[in-house]
Amino acid sequence: MNHPTGLTGPTPLNRLADVTPLVHPRLRSVVTAPRPAQPRPLDLRVRAQRIQIDELVVDDPHQVLAHARQAALDDPETAEQLGYSATEPLPLPDAAALLCALYDTDALTAMGLRLTRLTTRVSASNQQTEPVSLVRSTAPED
């Protein structure tokens, strides 16, 4: 029998000519659909700033001064920024500022300072707009 390729008989070459390439169905779906790129976060260059202001009053000046002297010995770099020197006593406002720089509100209460108001100022803006500001103020519960 003559084959259309001109080859006669069932030779291995004849069988190869009649075979069509088959793609496995599971592989076809993987090859055909490209994956979409992951979306990037939108960068609007918005800057936000939060400032928390604790308003405190001194209830016990002697206790505040004693704690501030000890704090100045424990953290001389911070005390130096306030102008503290070992030869001169620390004035009460400087002593209160030093303690506020080093301790949280709960510790300050134990050192003779009392929180009278907490104010939080938040502002946000981008390069093209004026800042949007929010001010929240609360008094602590007695």
mmCIF file of all heavy atoms in Angstrom, residues 35-67:
data_model
loop_
_atom_site.group_PDB
_atom_site.id
_atom_site.type_symbol
_atom_site.label_atom_id
_atom_site.label_comp_id
_atom_site.label_asym_id
_atom_site.label_seq_id
_atom_site.Cartn_x
_atom_site.Cartn_y
_atom_site.Cartn_z
ATOM 1 N N ARG A 35 -1.016 36.230 34.050
ATOM 2 C CA ARG A 35 -1.461 36.738 35.352
ATOM 3 C C ARG A 35 -1.424 38.270 35.356
ATOM 4 O O ARG A 35 -0.472 38.859 34.879
ATOM 5 C CB ARG A 35 -0.573 36.211 36.458
ATOM 6 C CG ARG A 35 -0.731 34.734 36.646
ATOM 7 C CD ARG A 35 0.053 34.284 37.842
ATOM 8 N NE ARG A 35 -0.159 32.869 38.025
ATOM 9 C CZ ARG A 35 -0.077 32.267 39.180
ATOM 10 N NH1 ARG A 35 0.238 32.948 40.248
ATOM 11 N NH2 ARG A 35 -0.294 30.987 39.278
ATOM 12 N N PRO A 36 -2.454 38.900 35.937
ATOM 13 C CA PRO A 36 -2.423 40.367 36.019
ATOM 14 C C PRO A 36 -1.388 40.819 37.047
ATOM 15 O O PRO A 36 -1.102 40.121 38.013
ATOM 16 C CB PRO A 36 -3.844 40.725 36.482
ATOM 17 C CG PRO A 36 -4.345 39.486 37.158
ATOM 18 C CD PRO A 36 -3.667 38.318 36.487
ATOM 19 N N ALA A 37 -0.832 41.991 36.816
ATOM 20 C CA ALA A 37 0.172 42.548 37.733
ATOM 21 C C ALA A 37 -0.502 42.934 39.046
ATOM 22 O O ALA A 37 -1.652 43.369 39.066
ATOM 23 C CB ALA A 37 0.828 43.772 37.105
ATOM 24 N N GLN A 38 0.219 42.798 40.150
ATOM 25 C CA GLN A 38 -0.304 43.180 41.461
ATOM 26 C C GLN A 38 -0.444 44.698 41.522
ATOM 27 O O GLN A 38 0.465 45.419 41.115
ATOM 28 C CB GLN A 38 0.644 42.705 42.571
ATOM 29 C CG GLN A 38 0.728 41.211 42.715
ATOM 30 C CD GLN A 38 -0.566 40.626 43.256
ATOM 31 O OE1 GLN A 38 -1.312 41.294 43.959
ATOM 32 N NE2 GLN A 38 -0.829 39.384 42.911
ATOM 33 N N PRO A 39 -1.576 45.206 42.021
ATOM 34 C CA PRO A 39 -1.722 46.663 42.116
ATOM 35 C C PRO A 39 -0.772 47.231 43.169
ATOM 36 O O PRO A 39 -0.556 46.634 44.215
ATOM 37 C CB PRO A 39 -3.180 46.858 42.533
ATOM 38 C CG PRO A 39 -3.562 45.567 43.176
ATOM 39 C CD PRO A 39 -2.735 44.491 42.520
ATOM 40 N N ARG A 40 -0.201 48.368 42.862
ATOM 41 C CA ARG A 40 0.701 49.045 43.796
ATOM 42 C C ARG A 40 -0.101 50.009 44.655
ATOM 43 O O ARG A 40 -1.081 50.590 44.203
ATOM 44 C CB ARG A 40 1.759 49.830 43.034
ATOM 45 C CG ARG A 40 2.732 48.945 42.319
ATOM 46 C CD ARG A 40 3.818 49.781 41.710
ATOM 47 N NE ARG A 40 4.788 48.931 41.060
ATOM 48 C CZ ARG A 40 5.824 49.384 40.410
ATOM 49 N NH1 ARG A 40 6.022 50.678 40.308
ATOM 50 N NH2 ARG A 40 6.671 48.553 39.848
ATOM 51 N N PRO A 41 0.339 50.233 45.906
ATOM 52 C CA PRO A 41 -0.369 51.217 46.736
ATOM 53 C C PRO A 41 -0.233 52.614 46.138
ATOM 54 O O PRO A 41 0.800 52.961 45.587
ATOM 55 C CB PRO A 41 0.336 51.134 48.088
ATOM 56 C CG PRO A 41 1.395 50.112 47.968
ATOM 57 C CD PRO A 41 1.426 49.592 46.579
ATOM 58 N N LEU A 42 -1.285 53.373 46.254
ATOM 59 C CA LEU A 42 -1.306 54.732 45.728
ATOM 60 C C LEU A 42 -0.551 55.653 46.685
ATOM 61 O O LEU A 42 -0.836 55.699 47.875
ATOM 62 C CB LEU A 42 -2.747 55.200 45.578
ATOM 63 C CG LEU A 42 -2.973 56.539 44.916
ATOM 64 C CD1 LEU A 42 -2.388 56.551 43.507
ATOM 65 C CD2 LEU A 42 -4.446 56.850 44.865
ATOM 66 N N ASP A 43 0.432 56.357 46.172
ATOM 67 C CA ASP A 43 1.253 57.252 46.991
ATOM 68 C C ASP A 43 0.827 58.691 46.710
ATOM 69 O O ASP A 43 1.079 59.222 45.637
ATOM 70 C CB ASP A 43 2.732 57.050 46.660
ATOM 71 C CG ASP A 43 3.634 57.905 47.520
ATOM 72 O OD1 ASP A 43 3.128 58.599 48.419
ATOM 73 O OD2 ASP A 43 4.848 57.881 47.296
ATOM 74 N N LEU A 44 0.150 59.294 47.672
ATOM 75 C CA LEU A 44 -0.319 60.669 47.502
ATOM 76 C C LEU A 44 0.583 61.679 48.197
ATOM 77 O O LEU A 44 0.306 62.862 48.198
ATOM 78 C CB LEU A 44 -1.748 60.804 48.041
ATOM 79 C CG LEU A 44 -2.790 59.955 47.320
ATOM 80 C CD1 LEU A 44 -4.130 60.095 48.015
ATOM 81 C CD2 LEU A 44 -2.890 60.342 45.861
ATOM 82 N N ARG A 45 1.638 61.213 48.834
ATOM 83 C CA ARG A 45 2.580 62.081 49.551
ATOM 84 C C ARG A 45 1.871 62.949 50.585
ATOM 85 O O ARG A 45 2.090 64.140 50.687
ATOM 86 C CB ARG A 45 3.362 62.965 48.590
ATOM 87 C CG ARG A 45 4.158 62.227 47.568
ATOM 88 C CD ARG A 45 5.418 61.687 48.160
ATOM 89 N NE ARG A 45 6.143 60.961 47.107
ATOM 90 C CZ ARG A 45 7.074 60.104 47.344
ATOM 91 N NH1 ARG A 45 7.423 59.844 48.570
ATOM 92 N NH2 ARG A 45 7.675 59.478 46.370
ATOM 93 N N VAL A 46 0.994 62.319 51.365
ATOM 94 C CA VAL A 46 0.309 63.031 52.438
ATOM 95 C C VAL A 46 1.136 62.885 53.705
ATOM 96 O O VAL A 46 1.561 61.803 54.061
ATOM 97 C CB VAL A 46 -1.113 62.465 52.658
ATOM 98 C CG1 VAL A 46 -1.751 63.081 53.890
ATOM 99 C CG2 VAL A 46 -1.966 62.723 51.437
ATOM 100 N N ARG A 47 1.382 63.992 54.359
ATOM 101 C CA ARG A 47 2.146 64.006 55.598
ATOM 102 C C ARG A 47 1.177 64.244 56.753
ATOM 103 O O ARG A 47 0.332 65.136 56.682
ATOM 104 C CB ARG A 47 3.185 65.123 55.588
ATOM 105 C CG ARG A 47 4.115 65.087 54.412
ATOM 106 C CD ARG A 47 5.169 64.021 54.587
ATOM 107 N NE ARG A 47 6.095 64.087 53.469
ATOM 108 C CZ ARG A 47 6.518 63.037 52.810
ATOM 109 N NH1 ARG A 47 6.103 61.849 53.153
ATOM 110 N NH2 ARG A 47 7.368 63.161 51.820
ATOM 111 N N ALA A 48 1.308 63.451 57.786
ATOM 112 C CA ALA A 48 0.464 63.619 58.964
ATOM 113 C C ALA A 48 1.360 63.811 60.176
ATOM 114 O O ALA A 48 2.431 63.224 60.267
ATOM 115 C CB ALA A 48 -0.436 62.405 59.162
ATOM 116 N N GLN A 49 0.910 64.645 61.088
ATOM 117 C CA GLN A 49 1.665 64.923 62.305
ATOM 118 C C GLN A 49 0.698 64.901 63.479
ATOM 119 O O GLN A 49 -0.383 65.491 63.414
ATOM 120 C CB GLN A 49 2.326 66.297 62.205
ATOM 121 C CG GLN A 49 3.151 66.656 63.407
ATOM 122 C CD GLN A 49 3.754 68.039 63.271
ATOM 123 O OE1 GLN A 49 3.089 68.969 62.827
ATOM 124 N NE2 GLN A 49 4.999 68.178 63.643
ATOM 125 N N ARG A 50 1.085 64.187 64.543
ATOM 126 C CA ARG A 50 0.265 64.138 65.745
ATOM 127 C C ARG A 50 1.095 64.661 66.911
ATOM 128 O O ARG A 50 2.212 64.198 67.143
ATOM 129 C CB ARG A 50 -0.182 62.713 66.034
ATOM 130 C CG ARG A 50 -1.032 62.617 67.275
ATOM 131 C CD ARG A 50 -1.314 61.208 67.733
ATOM 132 N NE ARG A 50 -1.153 60.213 66.728
ATOM 133 C CZ ARG A 50 -1.983 59.204 66.522
ATOM 134 N NH1 ARG A 50 -3.036 59.074 67.269
ATOM 135 N NH2 ARG A 50 -1.753 58.317 65.588
ATOM 136 N N ILE A 51 0.538 65.622 67.624
ATOM 137 C CA ILE A 51 1.207 66.195 68.791
ATOM 138 C C ILE A 51 0.284 65.999 69.984
ATOM 139 O O ILE A 51 -0.880 66.406 69.944
ATOM 140 C CB ILE A 51 1.505 67.695 68.596
ATOM 141 C CG1 ILE A 51 2.416 67.890 67.386
ATOM 142 C CG2 ILE A 51 2.134 68.284 69.861
ATOM 143 C CD1 ILE A 51 2.594 69.336 66.987
ATOM 144 N N GLN A 52 0.797 65.366 71.022
ATOM 145 C CA GLN A 52 0.016 65.171 72.235
ATOM 146 C C GLN A 52 0.554 66.104 73.306
ATOM 147 O O GLN A 52 1.761 66.124 73.569
ATOM 148 C CB GLN A 52 0.095 63.729 72.699
ATOM 149 C CG GLN A 52 -0.738 63.468 73.940
ATOM 150 C CD GLN A 52 -0.776 62.001 74.284
ATOM 151 O OE1 GLN A 52 -0.840 61.154 73.416
ATOM 152 N NE2 GLN A 52 -0.730 61.715 75.571
ATOM 153 N N ILE A 53 -0.331 66.875 73.891
ATOM 154 C CA ILE A 53 0.058 67.848 74.913
ATOM 155 C C ILE A 53 -0.599 67.456 76.233
ATOM 156 O O ILE A 53 -1.829 67.420 76.338
ATOM 157 C CB ILE A 53 -0.375 69.276 74.516
ATOM 158 C CG1 ILE A 53 0.233 69.642 73.162
ATOM 159 C CG2 ILE A 53 0.013 70.281 75.589
ATOM 160 C CD1 ILE A 53 -0.397 70.836 72.511
ATOM 161 N N ASP A 54 0.227 67.125 77.211
ATOM 162 C CA ASP A 54 -0.267 66.836 78.552
ATOM 163 C C ASP A 54 -0.097 68.102 79.382
ATOM 164 O O ASP A 54 1.018 68.599 79.526
ATOM 165 C CB ASP A 54 0.535 65.700 79.205
ATOM 166 C CG ASP A 54 0.414 64.387 78.459
ATOM 167 O OD1 ASP A 54 -0.602 64.175 77.797
ATOM 168 O OD2 ASP A 54 1.349 63.578 78.552
ATOM 169 N N GLU A 55 -1.191 68.616 79.887
ATOM 170 C CA GLU A 55 -1.108 69.785 80.760
ATOM 171 C C GLU A 55 -1.134 69.291 82.198
ATOM 172 O O GLU A 55 -2.082 68.641 82.625
ATOM 173 C CB GLU A 55 -2.265 70.739 80.473
ATOM 174 C CG GLU A 55 -2.167 71.356 79.090
ATOM 175 C CD GLU A 55 -3.275 72.345 78.814
ATOM 176 O OE1 GLU A 55 -3.816 72.937 79.765
ATOM 177 O OE2 GLU A 55 -3.594 72.511 77.630
ATOM 178 N N LEU A 56 -0.055 69.590 82.914
ATOM 179 C CA LEU A 56 0.109 69.106 84.277
ATOM 180 C C LEU A 56 0.297 70.278 85.230
ATOM 181 O O LEU A 56 0.811 71.330 84.838
ATOM 182 C CB LEU A 56 1.340 68.195 84.358
ATOM 183 C CG LEU A 56 1.285 66.969 83.455
ATOM 184 C CD1 LEU A 56 2.629 66.689 82.838
ATOM 185 C CD2 LEU A 56 0.805 65.763 84.229
ATOM 186 N N VAL A 57 -0.096 70.078 86.449
ATOM 187 C CA VAL A 57 0.182 71.056 87.496
ATOM 188 C C VAL A 57 0.995 70.360 88.577
ATOM 189 O O VAL A 57 0.880 69.150 88.783
ATOM 190 C CB VAL A 57 -1.107 71.666 88.103
ATOM 191 C CG1 VAL A 57 -1.835 72.484 87.067
ATOM 192 C CG2 VAL A 57 -2.000 70.601 88.681
ATOM 193 N N VAL A 58 1.819 71.150 89.252
ATOM 194 C CA VAL A 58 2.643 70.612 90.330
ATOM 195 C C VAL A 58 1.825 70.655 91.615
ATOM 196 O O VAL A 58 1.409 71.716 92.062
ATOM 197 C CB VAL A 58 3.949 71.419 90.477
ATOM 198 C CG1 VAL A 58 4.728 70.951 91.692
ATOM 199 C CG2 VAL A 58 4.782 71.300 89.221
ATOM 200 N N ASP A 59 1.603 69.469 92.187
ATOM 201 C CA ASP A 59 0.897 69.381 93.472
ATOM 202 C C ASP A 59 1.860 69.431 94.644
ATOM 203 O O ASP A 59 1.537 69.980 95.695
ATOM 204 C CB ASP A 59 0.089 68.080 93.551
ATOM 205 C CG ASP A 59 -1.229 68.181 92.812
ATOM 206 O OD1 ASP A 59 -1.700 69.306 92.582
ATOM 207 O OD2 ASP A 59 -1.779 67.122 92.453
ATOM 208 N N ASP A 60 3.049 68.865 94.474
ATOM 209 C CA ASP A 60 4.020 68.802 95.564
ATOM 210 C C ASP A 60 5.389 69.241 95.035
ATOM 211 O O ASP A 60 6.144 68.432 94.504
ATOM 212 C CB ASP A 60 4.078 67.377 96.116
ATOM 213 C CG ASP A 60 4.953 67.264 97.342
ATOM 214 O OD1 ASP A 60 5.702 68.221 97.650
ATOM 215 O OD2 ASP A 60 4.892 66.209 98.002
ATOM 216 N N PRO A 61 5.739 70.540 95.158
ATOM 217 C CA PRO A 61 6.999 71.051 94.604
ATOM 218 C C PRO A 61 8.240 70.342 95.150
ATOM 219 O O PRO A 61 9.170 70.072 94.405
ATOM 220 C CB PRO A 61 7.005 72.531 94.987
ATOM 221 C CG PRO A 61 5.602 72.869 95.322
ATOM 222 C CD PRO A 61 4.951 71.611 95.762
ATOM 223 N N HIS A 62 8.268 70.028 96.443
ATOM 224 C CA HIS A 62 9.442 69.383 97.030
ATOM 225 C C HIS A 62 9.662 67.990 96.433
ATOM 226 O O HIS A 62 10.793 67.598 96.149
ATOM 227 C CB HIS A 62 9.311 69.298 98.557
ATOM 228 C CG HIS A 62 9.241 70.650 99.214
ATOM 229 N ND1 HIS A 62 10.312 71.513 99.229
ATOM 230 C CD2 HIS A 62 8.219 71.291 99.843
ATOM 231 C CE1 HIS A 62 9.970 72.620 99.853
ATOM 232 N NE2 HIS A 62 8.695 72.519 100.234
ATOM 233 N N GLN A 63 8.574 67.278 96.261
ATOM 234 C CA GLN A 63 8.676 65.938 95.670
ATOM 235 C C GLN A 63 9.133 66.011 94.212
ATOM 236 O O GLN A 63 9.971 65.220 93.769
ATOM 237 C CB GLN A 63 7.324 65.223 95.783
ATOM 238 C CG GLN A 63 7.379 63.761 95.412
ATOM 239 C CD GLN A 63 6.028 63.078 95.601
ATOM 240 O OE1 GLN A 63 5.022 63.709 95.892
ATOM 241 N NE2 GLN A 63 6.021 61.767 95.415
ATOM 242 N N VAL A 64 8.618 66.975 93.460
ATOM 243 C CA VAL A 64 9.013 67.145 92.048
ATOM 244 C C VAL A 64 10.507 67.467 91.963
ATOM 245 O O VAL A 64 11.237 66.889 91.149
ATOM 246 C CB VAL A 64 8.166 68.245 91.365
ATOM 247 C CG1 VAL A 64 8.732 68.626 90.015
ATOM 248 C CG2 VAL A 64 6.725 67.787 91.228
ATOM 249 N N LEU A 65 10.985 68.372 92.810
ATOM 250 C CA LEU A 65 12.409 68.734 92.796
ATOM 251 C C LEU A 65 13.301 67.552 93.178
ATOM 252 O O LEU A 65 14.350 67.337 92.567
ATOM 253 C CB LEU A 65 12.661 69.921 93.725
ATOM 254 C CG LEU A 65 12.083 71.258 93.247
ATOM 255 C CD1 LEU A 65 12.169 72.313 94.352
ATOM 256 C CD2 LEU A 65 12.796 71.719 91.986
ATOM 257 N N ALA A 66 12.867 66.771 94.151
ATOM 258 C CA ALA A 66 13.666 65.611 94.571
ATOM 259 C C ALA A 66 13.745 64.571 93.447
ATOM 260 O O ALA A 66 14.820 64.036 93.151
ATOM 261 C CB ALA A 66 13.060 64.992 95.835
ATOM 262 N N HIS A 67 12.612 64.298 92.809
ATOM 263 C CA HIS A 67 12.610 63.333 91.696
ATOM 264 C C HIS A 67 13.417 63.852 90.513
ATOM 265 O O HIS A 67 14.102 63.083 89.829
ATOM 266 C CB HIS A 67 11.173 63.013 91.260
ATOM 267 C CG HIS A 67 10.470 62.075 92.184
ATOM 268 N ND1 HIS A 67 10.779 60.737 92.270
ATOM 269 C CD2 HIS A 67 9.466 62.286 93.068
ATOM 270 C CE1 HIS A 67 9.987 60.157 93.157
ATOM 271 N NE2 HIS A 67 9.180 61.084 93.666
#
